[in-house]
Amino acid sequence: DTEVTQTPKHLVMGMTNKKSLKCEQHMGHRAMYWYKQKAKKPPELMFVYSYEKLSINESVPSRFSPECPNSSLLNLHLHALQPEDSALYLCASSPRRYGSGATDTQYFGPGTRLTVL
Amino acid sequence: SQQGEEDPQALSIQEGENATMNCSYKTSINNLQWYRQNSGRGLVHLILIRSNEREKHSGRLRVTLDTSKKSSSLLITASRAADTASYFCATDPIIQGAQKLVFGQGTRLTINP
């Protein structure tokens, strides 16, 4: 299995809702990432997990809460989002643990298109 | 601030022609990667070139890296309609530590049949 899967593909939520995004990889990768991408912009790093521990939080607002229950699964819990949080949320994984050397190739999922009303 | 700047922002060519995209960056890097993104989808890795390499090939793709000029180029030869996508360079700045990619603004490539 050489892919990263993300669910759901699309999500529409109100500002008072709580929802979660899910990401899975079964490649044995040790690092997993969440990115946010606005239209016609590059991906922006949000979080990095390495060996199921949070390694980087790029000063992301607390209404985004990541979770890594095991080495294959990464969640992003969403609560009290704002309309400006509408974006494509991308998950990625890479083989080696974070901080083990130069950057690996990252393998991206197809993304979740989030719309906040 | 963005590490990578890409040029041009948009490129439209006829099928069969070659497409060249450029990427410039500001700080020393461990490596530079190129990714492709079809509209609204995830990114697909194309090539990784290390700082001690000058050129790499993969199929119809050729990537060059000039660390003295802090620039890279991606050449797609004999373009096809399926090459229509956005192309991003991504650097791994030494100053920022390992395994943190910083993406350029991207080039939107359109291949006209």
Side-chain angles (χ1 to χ4, degrees):
Chain A
D1 191 345
T2 58
E3 66 172 0
V4 176
T5 60
Q6 289 187 245
T7 54
K9 284 189 171 60
H10 300 276
L11 179 62
V12 179
M13 60 186 290
M15 289 189 285
T16 58
N17 292 156
K18 285 184 180 181
K19 297 287 185 183
S20 296
L21 309 184
K22 179 179 171 182
C23 172
E24 272 191 289
Q25 58 89 12
H26 297 286
M27 295 178 281
H29 288 177
R30 297 306 187 186
M32 295 185 76
Y33 310 78
W34 280 115
Y35 288 87
K36 173 182 177 180
Q37 186 180 26
K38 302 284 272 185
K40 297 186 178 180
K41 294 291 187 183
E44 295 178 3
L45 183 65
M46 300 174 71
F47 303 103
V48 179
Y49 271 83
S50 181
Y51 279 99
E52 300 148 52
K53 287 186 169 48
L54 184 64
S55 295
I56 290 182
N57 175 342
E58 292 285 271
S59 303
V60 178
S62 59
R63 57 186 184 269
F64 295 90
S65 175
E67 179 197 20
C68 191
N70 59 59
S71 59
S72 300
L73 185 56
L74 186 65
N75 297 319
L76 186 62
H77 302 297
L78 314 172
H79 173 55
L81 294 193
Q82 304 296 310
E84 59 264 28
D85 297 321
S86 298
L88 182 67
Y89 287 84
L90 294 164
C91 174
S93 68
S94 61
R96 292 180 298 165
R97 65 172 177 83
Y98 176 79
S100 61
T103 318
D104 280 338
T105 294
Q106 292 189 11
Y107 296 78
F108 283 81
T112 294
R113 173 73 61 189
L114 174 67
T115 303
V116 182
L117 302 176
Chain B
S1 63
Q2 287 296 329
Q3 161 79 323
E5 296 296 332
E6 293 183 63
D7 167 50
Q9 290 187 347
L11 179 62
S12 180
I13 61 174
Q14 294 300 120
E15 196 167 17
E17 293 179 341
N18 296 342
T20 300
M21 289 158 268
N22 302 296
C23 170
S24 59
Y25 56 91
K26 298 174 184 172
T27 65
S28 296
I29 59 172
N30 289 306
N31 62 52
L32 185 145
Q33 302 182 39
W34 285 90
Y35 287 82
R36 184 187 75 227
Q37 184 177 34
N38 291 89
S39 181
R41 304 291 292 168
L43 281 74
V44 174
H45 180 260
L46 297 176
I47 284 186
L48 182 154
I49 186 166
R50 303 190 190 286
S51 60
N52 61 354
E53 297 176 311
R54 292 296 167 258
E55 187 170 311
K56 274 188 103 165
H57 296 255
S58 176
R60 293 183 295 113
L61 307 181
R62 181 172 78 99
V63 168
T64 61
L65 179 64
D66 187 334
T67 53
S68 67
K69 295 181 179 177
K70 292 186 170 57
S71 68
S72 174
S73 67
L74 169 66
L75 168 67
I76 303 174
T77 60
S79 63
R80 304 167 182 169
D83 295 328
T84 294
S86 291
Y87 291 80
F88 294 94
C89 68
T91 53
D92 166 19
I94 292 173
I95 194 170
Q96 292 192 26
Q99 290 182 264
K100 181 175 174 178
L101 287 181
V102 180
F103 287 85
Q105 294 298 306
T107 293
R108 292 188 304 281
L109 175 65
T110 303
I111 308 299
N112 302 303

